[in-house]
Amino acid sequence: MRFLNITKRYGDNQVFDHFNLEVPPSTILSVVGPSGEGKTTLLQMAAGLLSPDEGFIEKEEGEQGGISYLFQEPRLLPASTVYENVELALRSSYKERNEREERTLHYLDLVGLQESLPLYPHQLSGGMRQRVAIARAFAHQCNLMLLDEPFQSLDIKLKYALVHAFIRLWEENPKTTLFVTHDPKEAILLGDAVCCLGDPKQPLLYQKIHIPRKARNIGDASLLALEADLVETLVRS
């Protein structure tokens, strides 16, 4: 997916000005930046919910299909069980009941919710509800995944447990992914590359990460250096 010469204004606020950015197929681009600098606008344009004033968004052939959008809040159906919340999202793509059941159970098992299938959202902790949302996002047939700070409101232990659950699912079925976060550590743990917004014309920082996700340790010197660069860029912007 490529954002090519994108321009977007909100009144006098110039968010993007002939801005270019690429997300290579089947990779994760982590996007950080101060509030109001275009992170959500970028996601909405990628989803087709918002059009640029100028420029266009070029998608690979496989990215033209379904989109999974993972929000800060789980947005589960309160009157449906854990199992139903995932299975219902598959009915438009998978006509065979057995196929839907197999896919639903597979992804709920991968996020550790195999014992919680008959429970309702109000019976779950916040972390469990978000795991259901993650399982649903991956179970849905799509080639483009958009994440809008899905781990923001969680305590640090739960946050990183969910980050690793997400990595486990993504490694099994890689999708072109745009991941917006305020947390530099999250950005580094998940992304194949990290981009910092803050200048309408170009990223303030763009850095590829060559360490395999499963081998990343936030105490690694090179990752600590990248985190320091991100924090410094965010503070200066």
Side-chain angles (χ1 to χ4, degrees), residues 54-97:
E54 299 176 35
F56 64 98
I57 298 160
E58 181 183 87
K59 294 183 180 179
E60 301 288 336
E61 184 176 347
E63 296 164 0
Q64 303 289 349
I67 295 172
S68 279
Y69 210 131
L70 189 57
F71 298 91
Q72 294 178 22
E73 312 83 23
R75 302 195 180 190
L76 303 180
L77 299 172
S80 298
T81 65
V82 166
Y83 176 87
E84 291 166 345
N85 263 282
V86 178
E87 191 269 343
L88 285 168
L90 305 181
R91 292 191 178 182
S92 62
S93 302
Y94 299 91
K95 302 304 181 185
E96 296 294 329
R97 181 177 178 180

Side-chain angles (χ1 to χ4, degrees), residues 1 3 21-31 42-43 46 63 66-70 137-138 142-151 166-167 169-171 173-180 187 190-195 206 213:
M1 178 171 60
F3 297 86
L21 185 65
E22 180 178 1
V23 189
S26 300
T27 66
I28 300 175
L29 176 64
S30 296
V31 178
L42 205 64
L43 285 180
E63 296 164 0
I67 295 172
S68 279
Y69 210 131
L70 189 57
F138 274 94
C142 73
N143 292 300
L144 179 61
M145 182 168 284
L146 307 173
L147 282 69
D148 189 4
E149 302 188 67
F151 313 118
F166 181 90
I167 290 171
L169 289 168
W170 192 91
E171 294 284 353
N173 185 17
K175 305 171 187 291
T176 305
T177 302
L178 195 59
F179 170 50
V180 163
L190 277 176
D192 292 286
V194 178
C195 168
Y206 181 93
R213 257 177 291 271

Side-chain angles (χ1 to χ4, degrees), residues 3 5 8 15 22 28 39 44 49 76 92 119 132 140 142 157 180 201 221:
F3 297 86
N5 293 313
K8 189 65 185 178
V15 180
E22 180 178 1
I28 300 175
K39 299 188 300 298
Q44 291 178 340
L49 301 174
L76 303 180
S92 62
L119 299 182
V132 177
H140 177 62
C142 73
K157 183 177 180 180
V180 163
K201 295 181 180 296

Side-chain angles (χ1 to χ4, degrees), residues 151-192:
F151 313 118
Q152 182 185 31
S153 58
L154 306 171
D155 67 71
I156 191 165
K157 183 177 180 180
L158 182 54
K159 175 186 292 190
Y160 289 111
L162 287 177
V163 166
H164 288 295
F166 181 90
I167 290 171
R168 186 164 59 249
L169 289 168
W170 192 91
E171 294 284 353
E172 181 187 75
N173 185 17
K175 305 171 187 291
T176 305
T177 302
L178 195 59
F179 170 50
V180 163
T181 178
H182 275 101
D183 187 335
K185 282 187 171 66
E186 283 181 17
I188 291 166
L189 286 172
L190 277 176
D192 292 286

